[in-house]
Amino acid sequence: MSLFRNAVLSIFALSLWGCAVDGKHLYVEGKCVSCWQDTFKKDKSDYEIIGANNYDIISWQELALEGLSREDNLNVATYGEDYLTYKLGSNSDHSLTIHGYTKRNELTYRRDVKKATEQLESDLHKHQLKPIYQITMPSTLDNYDFDRQEFPVDYTTGVTLEGGKDIKLLPKEISVIFDNYQDFPELKMPPHTAENFLKGRNQKRKLFIRYIFEINAMTTQSSFQSTVKEIQFIDVVPKKYYQTRKEIEKYAPFEAIQL
């Protein structure tokens, strides 16, 4: 049997199995052929595939619902107006004016607040924190360290999610703190690879980092603690939501590191 055919069969076998032995992954041009094509066959809440890009993106709404779900003697109607405001979206002027609510159609506004309250109640009933979330943030690389053979990475220690400046009772912003940010890895590569890496980027040191993390605790309604499980380095500006199967290779990381 030819060497080429052996290689093809090996890759095919690995793709059927879904992952290589002892957590090792077979990379072809920076992509793990034993993982990428299987990502969307997995449950979105099932964290086990390095480099996966199908986890729910963390949102202000998700954490606002979590905060309300922990509130004693919750009166949902209290937050109906805020929920409507969030759904409408913020603007430079007052959102209720921008979206057509004036004194002339106060009844319409009250009707929509009632609908928003009912939606909030429904969303709270269905709400449950996911085991794993993802968020993608812009970053930069510092100058290459020849002694350590790595690019120091400009990481964030957490993210701030905005609900809108016109919100009155719910937190306008909710912070998610990464409690293990000191363990985040640098981007390692030998000098010749680093040189080609920079040439391919036209000497730009910008990139995007996808953080795969779990929520550990709520310290206040506007602050949560989390632990990052995996760091993914990607080059493509991400879309807001997780990608379709057709786009999975485009948005796959060129390197993913589990912590």
Side-chain angles (χ1 to χ4, degrees), residues 129-191:
L129 278 181
K130 307 292 190 304
I132 295 291
Y133 290 96
Q134 72 176 44
I135 191 74
T136 303
M137 303 285 288
S139 182
T140 56
L141 299 174
D142 289 337
N143 293 330
Y144 183 75
D145 187 323
F146 281 90
D147 293 331
R148 296 179 178 273
Q149 296 195 8
E150 64 187 21
F151 286 103
V153 182
D154 182 20
Y155 284 108
T156 180
T157 59
V159 297
T160 299
L161 308 166
E162 298 183 354
K165 66 181 181 62
D166 295 323
I167 287 175
K168 298 176 181 177
L169 299 178
L170 290 172
K172 291 180 172 62
E173 296 180 343
I174 300 178
S175 298
V176 179
I177 307 302
F178 299 146
D179 57 19
N180 61 334
Y181 69 90
Q182 293 179 330
D183 299 329
F184 291 174
E186 310 297 0
L187 182 55
K188 291 185 175 294
M189 60 181 69

Side-chain angles (χ1 to χ4, degrees), residues 36-245:
W36 304 132
Q37 72 276 18
D38 222 24
T39 303
F40 282 85
K41 297 178 184 176
K42 297 290 183 179
D43 189 305
K44 287 192 297 181
S45 66
D46 187 11
Y47 176 70
E48 62 180 80
I49 297 182
I50 187 171
N53 180 29
N54 61 337
Y55 304 110
D56 284 0
I57 295 177
I58 196 67
S59 67
W60 177 91
Q61 180 183 16
E62 187 82 347
L63 296 183
L65 290 174
E66 180 64 18
L68 289 177
S69 70
R70 301 188 187 195
E71 189 172 310
D72 294 331
N73 302 316
L74 174 66
N75 181 3
V76 178
T78 303
Y79 302 101
E81 189 170 3
D82 270 357
Y83 210 55
L84 175 61
T85 301
Y86 168 71
K87 292 293 187 180
L88 293 174
S90 294
N91 208 299
S92 56
D93 296 321
H94 196 280
S95 61
L96 302 185
T97 301
I98 288 296
H99 291 277
Y101 295 115
T102 64
K103 292 181 179 179
R104 293 182 180 180
N105 58 4
E106 183 179 348
L107 291 179
T108 300
Y109 173 61
R110 290 302 163 192
R111 180 200 64 198
D112 289 351
V113 169
K114 184 176 184 296
K115 288 183 179 179
T117 302
E118 293 170 350
Q119 182 64 56
L120 174 57
E121 190 167 19
S122 174
D123 290 346
L124 277 169
H125 180 71
K126 295 180 291 185
H127 170 72
Q128 184 176 3
L129 278 181
K130 307 292 190 304
I132 295 291
Y133 290 96
Q134 72 176 44
I135 191 74
T136 303
M137 303 285 288
S139 182
T140 56
L141 299 174
D142 289 337
N143 293 330
Y144 183 75
D145 187 323
F146 281 90
D147 293 331
R148 296 179 178 273
Q149 296 195 8
E150 64 187 21
F151 286 103
V153 182
D154 182 20
Y155 284 108
T156 180
T157 59
V159 297
T160 299
L161 308 166
E162 298 183 354
K165 66 181 181 62
D166 295 323
I167 287 175
K168 298 176 181 177
L169 299 178
L170 290 172
K172 291 180 172 62
E173 296 180 343
I174 300 178
S175 298
V176 179
I177 307 302
F178 299 146
D179 57 19
N180 61 334
Y181 69 90
Q182 293 179 330
D183 299 329
F184 291 174
E186 310 297 0
L187 182 55
K188 291 185 175 294
M189 60 181 69
H192 67 279
T193 304
E195 184 178 2
N196 292 331
F197 179 76
L198 288 180
K199 285 180 179 178
R201 309 173 71 81
N202 296 320
Q203 301 300 320
K204 292 180 180 178
R205 297 178 182 273
K206 294 182 180 179
L207 77 163
F208 291 87
I209 297 177
R210 185 180 295 136
Y211 301 85
I212 310 297
F213 63 94
E214 60 182 351
I215 300 292
N216 294 327
M218 184 181 83
T219 52
T220 68
Q221 270 197 318
S222 60
S223 180
F224 288 77
Q225 295 288 329
S226 68
T227 299
V228 174
K229 309 284 287 186
E230 181 179 313
I231 294 291
Q232 298 179 12
F233 298 100
I234 60 177
D235 281 325
V236 180
V237 179
K239 289 185 178 179
K240 186 174 181 180
Y241 302 105
Y242 56 85
Q243 315 309 321
T244 63
R245 178 185 292 273

